[in-house]
Amino acid sequence: MSGSVTPPRPGKSLPVPALVQNGLPKAPREEAERPLGAEVSEELRRVQEQWEAVEQSQSGPGALSAGSAPLISFNEALQYFQSAELKQCRKVPVPVPRSGLASLLRFLFGPPRLHPQLQGEQELALAMAQCALDDNQKVHMRILQTVYKRLTSSSLGCPRYGAHWEELGFQGVDPGTDLRGTGMLGLMQILFFVMDSQMLPLAREIFRLSQQETQSFPFCIMSVNITHMVLQALRQERLCRECNRRGQVIAVLNQLYAAAFLRLYHLWKGQNKTLADSNALLKELEIATRKKPKQLLKSLETYLKQSPTAEILQQLCPQAGTGEDIDFLGICDPQVELEGAARLI
């Protein structure tokens, strides 16, 4: 991007294929644990000072100056996608109807089908998963900026490209390259994680763990993998019963995403996991997401009830992260399969 100044790259995060296929070589960081908020690392402080010096002179798509991009709530972003013309994202895969013996076995032993009134919401979720990060879409850029600000507790905006994204756990200077397998849904689920009043303390705690010297891991790459697991569970009709029970699809996807991240956090921290353990841990998490979603969701509910910080935030901001109800309309003509770098198998 001409005319911009890119902060020095503090280190290189691992690409998605290495994370999900080959196991992760141990890659300790040079710094100790980096607390958030007022205790942001010196590395981030230096980078932020550089951004403040250059942001006002930046222009062009995605180059937002400090304070120019207000935070965006999850529901505001979701309403944008509901009303957007997602023409390029309409070829979205949905479960293939079974026939013959397979249909009979499903009727007798399989999961229920998704209620017809929830089909539009499912299609919207799958369409977002096919929608690429677009520099020319202001909402996309606001989502990206909000994720950065909430994770780092920074009031400053940041350049569209740069090594600061590696600090958040993307594999390079462009977050868009890591979203090829989950599209904007991958970014939207991080947005949910950091904008929901109950989830934010957990998100920051996991982010803090990801910055530790001995147990570090790429936070956003992990997030993309978890979103991919959730998508696969949706496409394989593993979530129909829970979606039907709650009368929602996207809310169930978000809750399952947070529940899976919570499970990863407990295992990673409690069993002193490192990058070398990530491949096996992700496979275990994928199985749990696909076969035991209800159990994961219950564990999240228990955690939130027992979390003093989450309870206090919920009392102070009871409406945060909820917003108005959204009516979902069918928008997709599903035909092709998801592709991308976040495949687990």
Side-chain angles (χ1 to χ4, degrees):
M1 186 169 61
S2 60
S4 66
V5 177
T6 301
R9 299 176 66 173
K12 192 172 184 179
S13 299
L14 291 166
V16 175
L19 179 63
V20 300
Q21 295 178 0
N22 304 326
L24 288 173
K26 195 171 182 179
R29 295 175 181 265
E30 294 180 358
E31 297 182 13
E33 178 182 356
R34 301 184 179 104
L36 298 170
E39 298 176 336
V40 175
S41 70
E42 289 303 315
E43 181 74 30
L44 284 177
R45 290 184 188 279
R46 290 194 297 270
V47 173
Q48 287 173 357
E49 289 174 0
Q50 294 181 45
W51 296 338
E52 190 173 24
V54 301
E55 278 176 331
Q56 298 300 331
S57 63
Q58 290 181 330
S59 60
L64 303 178
S65 61
S68 67
L71 297 180
I72 186 169
S73 70
F74 178 84
N75 275 350
E76 182 183 352
L78 188 61
Q79 287 173 332
Y80 159 79
F81 283 108
Q82 191 210 3
S83 62
E85 291 281 341
L86 299 177
K87 293 180 180 179
Q88 74 279 16
C89 306
R90 292 193 176 194
K91 295 180 179 181
V92 180
V94 295
V96 178
R98 296 173 175 84
S99 59
L101 179 60
S103 178
L104 178 61
L105 291 174
R106 175 194 168 82
F107 176 77
L108 295 174
F109 307 108
R113 290 202 179 280
L114 191 68
H115 290 165
Q117 62 267 30
L118 299 179
Q119 289 289 337
E121 194 175 348
Q122 175 184 249
E123 292 170 357
L124 176 60
L126 295 172
M128 286 192 293
Q130 290 287 308
C131 183
L133 180 65
D134 188 346
D135 290 4
N136 296 309
Q137 294 294 336
K138 292 183 179 179
V139 170
H140 290 204
M141 295 300 102
R142 284 181 63 195
I143 295 171
L144 196 60
Q145 293 279 320
T146 299
V147 166
Y148 171 80
K149 289 179 179 179
R150 296 287 274 187
L151 280 177
T152 63
S153 298
S154 172
S155 60
L156 298 175
C158 64
R160 167 67 177 84
Y161 303 93
H164 45 282
W165 298 117
E166 293 178 313
E167 285 289 325
L168 265 60
F170 286 106
Q171 66 175 333
V173 299
D174 179 11
T177 61
D178 294 331
L179 299 172
R180 289 170 294 180
T182 60
M184 285 302 295
L185 182 64
L187 200 57
M188 283 286 286
Q189 292 212 298
I190 304 178
L191 180 69
F192 158 76
F193 212 25
V194 299
M195 288 302 288
D196 185 273
S197 62
Q198 285 187 297
M199 299 301 173
L200 179 60
L202 175 61
R204 285 182 168 166
E205 187 63 28
I206 297 174
F207 182 66
R208 184 180 294 111
L209 176 64
S210 77
Q211 302 291 297
Q212 283 191 3
E213 182 178 8
T214 57
Q215 289 190 277
S216 64
F217 60 85
F219 177 89
C220 288
I221 295 295
M222 283 293 190
S223 175
V224 168
N225 275 272
I226 292 174
T227 296
H228 185 266
M229 296 174 196
V230 172
L231 271 171
Q232 288 298 88
L234 176 67
R235 293 180 60 227
Q236 294 174 11
E237 301 182 287
R238 302 284 182 166
L239 307 180
C240 293
R241 181 174 282 105
E242 194 63 28
C243 290
N244 291 341
R245 186 179 72 84
R246 299 191 185 197
Q248 296 175 305
V249 175
I250 291 178
V252 171
L253 297 183
N254 286 340
Q255 292 289 319
L256 184 58
Y257 161 89
F261 228 146
L262 174 63
R263 174 67 176 164
L264 181 143
Y265 170 73
H266 281 161
L267 292 174
W268 199 277
K269 184 175 182 179
Q271 299 180 13
N272 294 315
K273 299 293 186 180
T274 66
L275 292 177
D277 304 307
S278 61
N279 194 47
L281 184 55
L282 283 171
K283 288 182 179 179
E284 177 184 339
L285 198 61
E286 187 270 337
I287 293 172
T289 303
R290 180 163 46 90
K291 294 186 175 182
K292 300 179 180 179
K294 185 176 181 180
Q295 182 176 324
L296 284 175
L297 290 168
K298 283 190 174 297
S299 68
L300 177 66
E301 292 176 3
T302 300
Y303 170 83
L304 293 177
K305 289 178 181 178
Q306 295 175 348
S307 173
T309 304
E311 286 184 6
I312 293 173
L313 284 174
Q314 184 66 9
Q315 291 172 6
L316 293 174
C317 309
Q319 301 302 321
T322 56
E324 299 178 357
D325 292 336
I326 299 176
D327 294 325
F328 294 94
L329 305 175
I331 59 172
C332 308
D333 181 17
Q335 294 180 19
V336 300
E337 292 214 4
L338 284 173
E339 297 180 356
R343 291 182 181 272
L344 285 168
I345 305 300

